[in-house]
Amino acid sequence: TWTWTADQVGMHTIEAVTRDAEHPEGTMPQSASFEIVLPPNQPPALSSLMPDKESPQERGTAVTWTASANDAESDPLQYQFSLDGNVVQEWSDSPTWSWTADQVGMHTIEAVARDAEHPEGTVPQSASFEIVLPPNQPPALSSLAADKESPQEAGSAVVWTATASDA
């Protein structure tokens, strides 16, 4: 008995000869061919999709999303990002996508990874993210002016003009 750990891909020939003390020349060799192949290429596995800021965020905020994936064979990976079902970053070597949120509401961000052997990509990872309006600010009073100089006699009509702005 001989145990062999196959560590080289390709066709191999194994040969055996038997002998004993009465027959030192041995028997005619017997051989068998044996092929070692690479295991099938595994698809990449997408493990997470994370924003650099927590939800919710105000409209106009830039949020960077990062997808994390690994590949058993260490094949180069590409990533694709979608926002609310629409592709926003085509296949790219970059595992990140930056989004400047311009629409208030709940949004779904999705990422997919692929390698050259699995162009269809992984099962998507998705995350929900809420965009809200900035808090309402109080109006700002910038001036208050009378149409007449002080002092005025009792019974005079004075018109006051206030100027304010509201963001």
Side-chain angles (χ1 to χ4, degrees), residues 34-50:
F34 201 83
E35 184 177 13
I36 302 299
V37 296
L38 289 173
N41 186 288
Q42 299 298 310
L46 196 57
S47 55
S48 70
L49 174 61
M50 298 296 296

Side-chain angles (χ1 to χ4, degrees), residues 58-64 83 97-103 131:
E58 292 179 13
R59 182 174 60 192
T61 301
V63 180
T64 299
L83 172 65
W97 167 63
S98 292
W99 170 46
T100 300
D102 62 348
Q103 292 190 8
I131 300 301

Side-chain angles (χ1 to χ4, degrees), residues 21 27 30 34 39 41-42 47 49 52 58 63 77 82 86 89 96-98 100-101 110 116 126 129 140 155 161:
T27 61
Q30 295 242 351
F34 201 83
N41 186 288
Q42 299 298 310
S47 55
L49 174 61
D52 66 340
E58 292 179 13
V63 180
L77 299 179
S82 298
N86 300 307
Q89 179 175 297
T96 62
W97 167 63
S98 292
T100 300
E110 189 173 89
S126 64
F129 203 88
T161 303

Side-chain angles (χ1 to χ4, degrees), residues 15-41:
E15 186 175 273
V17 176
T18 312
R19 67 180 178 182
D20 63 15
E22 298 291 319
H23 304 90
E25 71 283 357
T27 61
M28 289 291 294
Q30 295 242 351
S31 63
S33 294
F34 201 83
E35 184 177 13
I36 302 299
V37 296
L38 289 173
N41 186 288

Side-chain angles (χ1 to χ4, degrees), residues 11-156:
M11 201 61 151
H12 300 277
T13 301
I14 310 300
E15 186 175 273
V17 176
T18 312
R19 67 180 178 182
D20 63 15
E22 298 291 319
H23 304 90
E25 71 283 357
T27 61
M28 289 291 294
Q30 295 242 351
S31 63
S33 294
F34 201 83
E35 184 177 13
I36 302 299
V37 296
L38 289 173
N41 186 288
Q42 299 298 310
L46 196 57
S47 55
S48 70
L49 174 61
M50 298 296 296
D52 66 340
K53 296 177 178 71
E54 290 189 21
S55 177
Q57 288 293 318
E58 292 179 13
R59 182 174 60 192
T61 301
V63 180
T64 299
W65 290 86
T66 302
S68 295
N70 54 40
D71 186 77
E73 298 80 22
S74 297
D75 293 334
L77 299 179
Q78 290 189 318
Y79 302 84
Q80 183 184 66
F81 291 86
S82 298
L83 172 65
D84 297 328
N86 300 307
V87 174
V88 290
Q89 179 175 297
E90 285 294 342
W91 292 109
S92 162
D93 295 337
S94 175
T96 62
W97 167 63
S98 292
W99 170 46
T100 300
D102 62 348
Q103 292 190 8
V104 172
M106 285 300 293
H107 299 279
T108 300
I109 293 79
E110 189 173 89
V112 181
R114 72 177 182 185
D115 64 13
E117 297 294 321
H118 303 92
E120 70 282 0
T122 60
V123 171
Q125 283 273 334
S126 64
S128 294
F129 203 88
E130 184 177 16
I131 300 301
V132 296
L133 289 171
N136 191 326
Q137 300 298 316
L141 185 61
S142 57
S143 69
L144 176 63
D147 68 338
K148 297 184 177 119
E149 297 274 330
S150 178
Q152 291 292 316
E153 290 181 16
S156 297

